[in-house]
Amino acid sequence: MKKNKMKILLINGPNLNLLGTRETSIYGKTTLKNLLNDLRKEADNLNIELIDTQSNAEHVLIEKIHTAKDIINYIIINPAAFSHTSIAIRDALMAIDIPFIEVHISNIYAREHFRSHSWLSDISQGVICGLGMDGYFWALKTAAKRLLDMQIYKKK
Ligand code: DQA
């Protein structure tokens, strides 16, 4: 019997729908659509089902996080500006208790001071920032490896 694929939810926060045209000297010229196409190919290679969502609204992201409970095995999130403001997104992630990696395209520590604090970092499994779009691919690889390790561990 074919085993169900592990499911990873990729969440992109506000203004990331504008990737490719938004502040290209910071975020580059890759569009969200192109990024997602490439990530889906990588997820296929890793035998992972990648589910993605982007919203500019905090409550929509919170509701998506709630619906992940018992369905999603791992989360990769670029909370964008909500990283620096949203205790509500932090609480939502704590409530569902699914491991996650926080990704930032830019190096948030090398920019305005207010970007150097994230409400999610200390509850994440890890943070990748400043590596451009590559950060998403490293996060996906790491998530896939951790899920595999967990499966192997469970079988023992
Ligand atoms: C960002 C960094 C945030 O400070 C900013 O508000 C974003 C994008 C990044 O990916 O570098 O919108 O999360």
Side-chain angles (χ1 to χ4, degrees):
M1 206 169 62
K2 219 179 156 203
K3 263 179 56 193
N4 282 342
K5 282 186 180 179
M6 288 293 198
K7 291 185 177 62
I8 295 181
L9 174 64
L10 170 65
I11 303 174
N12 276 298
N15 302 308
L16 294 172
N17 56 314
L18 300 181
L19 283 175
T21 57
R22 168 196 185 201
E23 296 182 274
T24 53
S25 61
I26 298 174
Y27 300 113
K29 290 195 174 156
T30 306
T31 61
L32 183 60
K33 193 172 169 225
N34 286 342
L35 171 69
L36 293 174
N37 277 341
D38 290 347
L39 281 171
R40 264 189 223 109
K41 282 183 205 151
E42 183 65 17
D44 270 356
N45 291 338
L46 295 165
N47 200 32
I48 292 278
E49 185 177 340
L50 186 70
I51 297 152
D52 79 275
T53 187
Q54 186 281 327
S55 178
N56 298 320
E58 191 176 20
H59 75 279
V60 174
L61 296 177
I62 291 168
E63 276 150 24
K64 277 279 173 193
I65 292 168
H66 291 173
T67 57
K69 195 168 168 54
D70 302 326
I71 298 172
I72 296 293
N73 304 102
Y74 208 99
I75 292 176
I76 297 169
I77 181 167
N78 183 346
F82 289 144
S83 322
H84 320 302
T85 61
S86 183
I87 296 172
I89 291 179
R90 175 193 176 91
D91 284 349
L93 286 163
M94 288 192 84
I96 58 163
D97 198 25
I98 296 171
F100 73 91
I101 295 174
E102 178 180 347
V103 173
H104 298 282
I105 299 161
S106 65
N107 181 351
I108 54 173
Y109 301 103
R111 300 180 64 192
E112 300 96 326
H113 182 64
F114 64 82
R115 293 187 202 274
S116 62
H117 178 260
S118 162
W119 287 103
L120 306 189
S121 300
D122 65 308
I123 58 162
S124 72
Q125 288 210 326
V127 182
I128 299 174
C129 85
L131 302 184
M133 297 306 180
D134 287 349
Y136 288 96
F137 291 87
W138 289 118
L140 187 58
K141 281 197 174 79
T142 304
K145 184 177 180 302
R146 295 212 166 182
L147 289 172
L148 194 67
D149 288 349
M150 269 157 53
Q151 274 176 310
I152 292 165
Y153 177 73
K154 266 191 210 150
K155 270 188 216 151
K156 279 185 189 158

